[in-house]
């Protein structure tokens, strides 16, 4: 546990070659911004579990064709649409 707080760090939003994004077991809160996934075309693993996120899962996750693992357990996600296929 790193005990990082607030939202997902801004520098993540501009990283196009990232394959794994593991932000598990921190104290992140608030909604997951939809624009975080705009440039993460290579992303295979997204781990946001054991945080305090709230709100819906962003629809911008859907076009990430390489994504094979998405972990959000113990976060307060309130909506999961029908359009996600992992």
């Amino acid at each position: 546990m790193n005990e990082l707080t607030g939202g997902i760090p801004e520098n993540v939003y501009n990283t196009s070659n990232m394959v794994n994004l593991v932000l598990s077991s921190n104290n992140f809160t608030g909604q997951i911004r939809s624009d975080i996934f705009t440039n993460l075309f290579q992303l295979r693993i997204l781990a946001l579990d054991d945080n305090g996120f709230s709100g819906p899962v962003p629809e911008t996750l859907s076009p990430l064709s390489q994504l094979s693992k998405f972990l959000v357990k113990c976060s307060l996600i309130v909506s999961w649409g029908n359009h996600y296929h992992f």
Side-chain angles (χ1 to χ4, degrees):
M1 180 178 206
N2 294 314
E3 297 186 18
L4 300 174
T5 61
I8 296 173
E10 289 289 323
N11 58 343
V12 171
Y13 292 79
N14 298 318
T15 309
S16 59
N17 295 324
M18 188 177 303
V19 175
N20 300 326
L21 178 56
V22 179
L23 297 173
S24 303
S25 301
N26 284 288
N27 292 314
F28 290 118
T29 57
Q31 290 193 1
I32 301 169
R33 289 178 35 187
S34 60
D35 59 338
I36 187 174
F37 307 111
T38 306
N39 295 321
L40 300 178
F41 302 113
Q42 303 298 320
L43 199 62
R44 293 176 188 254
I45 296 173
L46 176 59
L48 303 175
D49 51 319
D50 295 323
N51 282 289
F53 291 114
S54 61
V57 173
E59 291 185 22
T60 52
L61 224 107
S62 188
L64 299 178
S65 61
Q66 301 296 316
L67 192 63
S68 61
K69 276 192 181 175
F70 177 49
L71 305 171
V72 289
K73 71 178 182 168
C74 296
S75 287
L76 301 173
I77 303 297
V78 296
S79 173
W80 183 267
N82 297 342
H83 48 275
Y84 298 101
H85 305 287
F86 300 113

